[in-house]
Amino acid sequence: MNYELDDQVGFVLRKAYQRHLTIFAEHIAGELTAMQFSTLFRLVRADGPISQNALGRMVAMDAATTKGVVSRLEARGLIRMEQDLVDRRRYLLSATPEGHALVQEVMPRMERVSADTLAPLNAREQKTLLKLLQRLC
Amino acid sequence: MNYELDDQVGFVLRKAYQRHLTIFAEHIAGELTAMQFSTLFRLVRADGPISQNALGRMVAMDAATTKGVVSRLEARGLIRMEQDLVDRRRYLLSATPEGHALVQEVMPRMERVSADTLAPLNAREQKTLLKLLQRLC
DNA sequence: TTCCGATTGAATGTATACAAATGAATTTAT
DNA sequence: ATAAATTCATTTGTATACATTCAATCGGAA
């Protein structure tokens, strides 16, 4: 059986994502983790407040993981939670002015992160990779 | 600024890997995690015993993570650790007969995992994706 | 209107993942 | 031969990630 670990999608996907996270950390330093950025970004871009679970789904996180990320963002004053008056199980989440400001400040560097991750490929290859990856989800 | 989360490599890489892990879990059930398989597989394929850190590097895990994975595999009797007589900092790791047997048993299903992950793409696209991903690492 | 199924958020337990610090052992450069 | 640098394994602390379980609540069917 000629099963080579380095030729398996899963193994290479993990290594590629790992490298991406390293590049992310280099650019964003200690301000935000990748998941914290994605979560905060979704909230900033949203037009209205969103429930915790709904936000998690928008970033592809399960409820338990979402809880942790949201708590840390809230503890840092980047997002605000308030009880939903209609459905009392829910919290309505929204980005604070500080949250908006941080996303604004970090935005330009985020494009560099994506560019650096894709740097080994030329423009056409980058587009191809993105399209193929999107079809895997 | 037209920054779309769903068009960023990092975000899509994560979702693709996430889906892969789901497929993995469906096929391999509670026997091994993806990282445990990779680690054990490397050990089974190796011709001689390997130090803990060296094994970690072969699977792209840092030392702290490796420690956890190795401990769990050892606790289950799938790998064996013995002091290196030459270099007394090291442990020499090797797969036990049980470890070899488990890899043997799981192997056929691993090919299905990779195939299922890549299922949305045709044969040529699969090759392309793999090549592009490998160049990102 | 009452009651049952589905949803929401929370909590717990296990498994990566990595940074940073530590102590012991080994290698290198002088 | 010895000081400096490196390597190895470990530990601690923080952050995902997901399965499972639970209580509260909602919404629709009877």
Side-chain angles (χ1 to χ4, degrees):
Chain A
M1 217 175 310
N2 59 333
Y3 180 94
E4 275 303 324
L5 209 49
D6 307 87
D7 294 336
Q8 306 306 312
V9 226
F11 193 73
V12 194
L13 275 174
R14 176 173 162 279
K15 288 218 294 179
Y17 183 54
Q18 203 176 36
R19 180 166 160 283
H20 165 77
L21 287 182
T22 302
I23 292 172
F24 183 98
E26 282 168 6
H27 284 78
I28 310 300
E31 299 161 274
L32 284 174
T33 67
M35 287 318 295
Q36 286 170 3
F37 170 79
S38 294
T39 306
L40 188 54
F41 177 79
R42 284 280 200 230
L43 214 44
V44 164
R45 278 294 170 90
D47 41 328
I50 308 177
S51 85
Q52 189 169 287
N53 280 2
L55 179 58
R57 283 190 294 268
M58 290 170 68
V59 204
M61 291 188 302
D62 78 334
T65 305
T66 305
K67 158 88 177 123
V69 175
V70 163
S71 297
R72 284 181 281 274
L73 288 174
E74 202 230 350
R76 289 177 52 191
L78 298 171
I79 71 180
R80 177 178 28 241
M81 309 175 66
E82 42 182 338
Q83 281 281 343
D84 185 337
L85 299 177
V86 181
D87 187 336
R88 276 183 302 174
R89 294 168 304 181
R90 292 194 195 182
Y91 291 102
L92 290 181
L93 307 183
S94 49
T96 62
E98 290 77 14
H100 280 275
L102 183 53
V103 166
Q104 211 65 51
E105 185 224 317
V106 162
M107 258 336 273
R109 278 179 284 163
M110 287 309 301
E111 291 177 344
R112 298 275 294 277
V113 171
S114 291
D116 285 6
T117 302
L118 289 170
L121 309 180
N122 67 40
R124 214 188 46 195
E125 291 168 333
Q126 296 186 4
K127 258 187 195 158
T128 304
L129 175 65
L130 220 53
K131 281 215 180 87
L132 294 177
L133 279 175
Q134 280 165 341
R135 284 174 50 201
L136 285 195
C137 308
Chain B
M1 221 175 309
N2 59 332
Y3 180 93
E4 275 303 323
L5 209 49
D6 307 88
D7 294 337
Q8 306 306 310
V9 227
F11 194 72
V12 195
L13 275 174
R14 176 172 162 279
K15 288 218 295 179
Y17 182 55
Q18 203 175 37
R19 181 167 159 281
H20 166 76
L21 287 182
T22 303
I23 293 172
F24 183 98
E26 281 168 7
H27 284 78
I28 310 300
E31 297 160 274
L32 284 174
T33 67
M35 288 319 294
Q36 287 170 3
F37 171 78
S38 294
T39 306
L40 187 54
F41 177 79
R42 283 280 201 230
L43 215 45
V44 164
R45 278 295 168 89
D47 41 327
I50 308 177
S51 82
Q52 189 168 288
N53 279 4
L55 178 58
R57 282 190 293 267
M58 290 170 68
V59 204
M61 289 189 303
D62 79 332
T65 305
T66 304
K67 158 85 177 129
V69 175
V70 163
S71 296
R72 285 181 281 275
L73 288 174
E74 203 230 347
R76 290 177 52 191
L78 298 171
I79 71 180
R80 179 178 26 242
M81 309 175 66
E82 45 183 337
Q83 280 280 344
D84 185 338
L85 299 176
V86 180
D87 187 336
R88 277 182 303 173
R89 294 169 302 181
R90 293 194 193 181
Y91 291 103
L92 290 181
L93 308 182
S94 49
T96 62
E98 290 78 13
H100 279 274
L102 183 52
V103 166
Q104 211 67 51
E105 186 222 316
V106 162
M107 260 332 276
R109 277 179 285 162
M110 286 309 301
E111 291 177 342
R112 297 276 295 278
V113 171
S114 291
D116 285 7
T117 301
L118 289 170
L121 309 179
N122 67 40
R124 214 189 44 196
E125 291 168 333
Q126 297 186 3
K127 258 188 195 157
T128 304
L129 176 65
L130 220 54
K131 283 216 179 86
L132 293 177
L133 280 175
Q134 279 165 342
R135 285 176 47 202
L136 286 195
C137 309

